[in-house]
Amino acid sequence: MRDKLPPEPPGSEVTPEKLYVRRREFIKNAGLFAGTAAVVGGGLYLLGMKRTRPMDGFVPDAGAVAQPVVPAQGLFSTDEPRTPYEDITTYNNFYELGLDKNDPARRAHLLKTRPWTVVIDGEVHKPWTVDVDQLISAFPLEERVYRMRCVEAWSMVIPWLGLPLGKLLDRVQPTSFAKYVAFTTLEDPEQLPGQKSPVLDWPYVEGLRLDEAQHPLTLLATGLYGKQLPAQNGAPLRLVVPWKYGFKGIKSIVRITLTREQPPTTWNITNKREYGFYANVNPAVDHPRWSQASERRIGETSRRPTLPFNGYADAVAGLYSGMDLKRDF
């Protein structure tokens, strides 16, 4: 008999406590909600509800066109049922476009993803400032069907398109001093109106150890479901690290910098007690305010056990040999 799974966290707990209070005030002042469901972040799935029709006002991203290259099947792709495209593109955490799960899709038209320049610099022998389409065309695309586990205890299965980050790093040739990789999101409050709010420190920043960034599972995503990446999902370039919680997947990247020291990361800056630098999926280490032992797969009504490293332990556990995963979370 399967052990009873812990209950899912209340909707008011899926955002850090201090941020949740600030978010309510922000939404109220901006006139952006009309009812309790919006106050709790639009977490309809977490409350056991499922949309049965397209979201009101949702307009598919005009850039969501077929990629010109047929991608190869990538490593470690899961054969689990894929989350529907509509759910992946209308249920998002992208605070730069709004705090409610539906906001990023509603405001995606504000983000102009072409032209787009990416800077790769820092501890590299060959720094590169490049147009995103030139960057994408320089590498063969792969399809990676990955599980995605949000720290809020929900999950999806997403068929990404993209390029292994390690191949990009090989091209710029890290120096012997490079130990970490830092990432920065676009900062432009006109295109990303959520940045007008102090809900987080902007721009959003993230980081990996160099060996994590070079791991063959780590992807720079440029699309999903065989289409160009929609703006609400972090176009034109977002990080995908499938064994880590979803907030590590920084969106709309404009800079990748190799560093000697561990870089700051946005959620760790916001609350060090609740969000560590590593953020590896670990069902044995609870969030201070809810259990991480189980998750709700979007589109399903029951909960399922969460797997260590989100099911990728065989591939990545060796990266953390000798570490205390409860302390270094």
Side-chain angles (χ1 to χ4, degrees), residues 67-119:
Q67 291 279 0
V69 178
V70 177
Q73 183 70 30
L75 296 171
F76 308 110
S77 287
T78 180
D79 59 1
E80 295 178 46
R82 303 176 182 193
T83 302
Y85 181 85
E86 181 195 341
D87 291 337
I88 295 171
T89 57
T90 62
Y91 192 81
N92 306 108
N93 284 327
F94 193 2
Y95 283 9
E96 287 89 338
L97 287 172
L99 302 175
D100 188 77
K101 294 291 191 290
N102 291 339
D103 284 344
R106 294 182 188 278
R107 297 175 179 160
H109 65 281
L110 298 175
L111 178 58
K112 307 305 179 185
T113 62
R114 298 297 190 280
W116 192 277
T117 300
V118 182
V119 177

Side-chain angles (χ1 to χ4, degrees), residues 131-200:
D131 175 80
V132 70
D133 290 317
Q134 181 185 351
L135 187 157
I136 293 170
S137 66
F139 302 92
L141 295 180
E142 297 182 15
E143 181 179 71
R144 304 282 186 90
V145 185
Y146 283 163
R147 290 178 290 273
M148 191 283 287
R149 171 59 154 82
C150 181
V151 74
E152 298 172 346
W154 55 267
S155 63
M156 295 183 177
V157 175
I158 302 177
W160 300 105
L161 295 178
L163 58 107
L165 175 58
K167 291 185 177 180
L168 173 60
L169 297 179
D170 288 344
R171 178 169 181 138
V172 298
Q173 298 180 12
T175 73
S176 60
F177 298 108
K179 298 294 185 292
Y180 295 89
V181 184
F183 305 85
T184 305
T185 291
L186 174 71
E187 185 172 19
D188 184 339
E190 296 307 312
Q191 295 190 63
L192 299 170
Q195 292 176 343
K196 296 176 182 179
S197 162
V199 66
L200 291 174

